[in-house]
Amino acid sequence: MARHEWVSRACRLEIALSLAAVLRPAPKTRRTFDHLSVESFVNRGDMGAAAAADIAAALKDRLAKQAGVRMVFAAAPSQADMLDALCAIPGIEWDRVTAFHMDEYIGLDPASSARFANWLDVHVFGRLPFAAVHRITPEPDAEAEVRLYAKRLNEAPIDFVCLGIGVNGHIAFNDPPVADFSDPLDVKIVELDEICRQQQVDDDCFPDLASVPLHAVTLTVPRLMRADRLFCIVPGASKRDAVQKTLRGPLTTECPASILRSHPACTLYIEKESDPDA
């Protein structure tokens, strides 16, 4: 590429980032807990738009410096506002982005709308021209898929993770009974605890508790924490207690999300209902 083309590209990036900063909703408060940056917004829409603006800016900046970006997405209703806003932001070279997701149920019909890969197809994977999308496919051999997915994740560094926090403080499907801050594995099969499974019902993903699978494949806590930058989006009153424990409790697997306070580049986006100080 000629020098003037690089200069022109750099100028376009600077203009795009400046415009995004102007349009980004401002948080009501900004706080820091250990290394964790926390931004609280007046409503869920502003929270999602601000997180999307930051993710877009990070993508554009990283793509200006390297050939591609590898990122992991969470599948949950809590992420929908951010994903809708992110998909609408122009100027991102999605054909240079490789996508992963962080967990998947075992035992669901592959066509089920509750499958995380299918949910993400609707909300992001099917809406953008990614370079590649790696879906977790537990069938027919979940153990083999665990090994394959770990291998794919480790082919190159993970740049970004977009995640949430569960009502029991889980990140991905690392519920308190199975979370391990020193896990030797990158991907594993876990048994879901009842609080986590009930959350899926309360989120209208399943009609009743009996319909929620007992087991899932998940990225482990260390695998998530090795990503270069984390964007954690947590709306809703049901998450307020988990956010309180994340910010002010001990670093413990009793609230797996507390480990986010030790990441050098993680931002937590909350809003009036999920903010324990609002």
Side-chain angles (χ1 to χ4, degrees), residues 183-197:
D183 206 312
L185 300 174
D186 285 342
V187 185
K188 66 181 181 181
I189 294 173
V190 293
E191 182 174 346
L192 305 179
D193 77 7
E194 187 168 322
I195 296 173
C196 172
R197 293 173 65 233

Side-chain angles (χ1 to χ4, degrees), residues 20-249:
V22 170
L23 298 177
R24 180 190 189 275
K28 184 177 180 181
T29 63
R30 285 190 175 97
R31 296 108 81 190
T32 302
F33 293 83
D34 296 331
H35 296 288
L36 180 63
S37 298
V38 181
E39 298 196 4
S40 181
F41 295 83
V42 296
N43 57 54
R44 187 173 180 144
D46 281 1
M47 177 206 65
D54 290 352
I55 295 164
L59 278 163
K60 291 175 182 180
D61 180 65
R62 192 64 58 93
L63 288 168
K65 300 173 181 176
Q66 61 192 45
V69 163
R70 289 157 53 88
M71 63 189 301
V72 178
F73 291 90
S78 64
Q79 307 299 296
D81 296 278
M82 178 276 290
L83 290 174
D84 282 344
L86 183 62
C87 288
I89 295 175
I92 302 172
E93 296 179 83
W94 290 106
D95 59 350
R96 296 167 56 201
V97 178
T98 297
F100 298 84
H101 61 117
M102 60 180 56
D103 41 22
E104 185 59 274
Y105 296 110
I106 296 173
L108 276 186
D109 186 318
S112 171
S113 62
R115 287 271 290 230
F116 287 153
N118 295 341
W119 189 93
L120 285 165
D121 280 342
V122 171
H123 289 272
V124 63
F125 292 164
R127 298 172 63 180
L128 300 170
F130 287 98
V133 173
H134 296 299
R135 297 168 178 83
I136 300 172
T137 307
E139 303 81 21
D141 185 341
E143 291 284 0
E145 179 65 6
V146 162
R147 294 189 294 271
L148 176 61
Y149 213 71
K151 181 179 178 181
R152 285 175 172 163
L153 286 163
N154 287 320
E155 288 173 350
I158 298 297
D159 297 279
F160 306 134
V161 171
C162 303
L163 71 158
I165 296 174
V167 295
N168 62 358
H170 72 221
I171 49 176
F173 265 149
N174 297 285
D175 291 330
V178 299
D180 183 350
F181 291 168
S182 301
D183 206 312
L185 300 174
D186 285 342
V187 185
K188 66 181 181 181
I189 294 173
V190 293
E191 182 174 346
L192 305 179
D193 77 7
E194 187 168 322
I195 296 173
C196 172
R197 293 173 65 233
Q198 183 60 47
Q199 178 186 329
Q200 313 309 315
V201 179
D202 296 340
D203 284 347
D204 295 324
C205 298
F206 292 90
D208 51 53
L209 187 63
S211 303
V212 184
L214 290 171
H215 297 91
V217 173
T218 187
L219 275 62
T220 63
V221 173
R223 174 67 267 185
L224 295 171
M225 293 291 286
R226 289 207 307 275
D228 188 54
R229 188 169 175 186
L230 276 57
F231 302 88
C232 188
I233 297 93
V234 187
S238 65
K239 306 292 182 68
R240 182 177 289 219
D241 183 60
V243 171
Q244 168 74 358
K245 291 175 180 176
T246 296
L247 301 182
R248 295 191 170 92

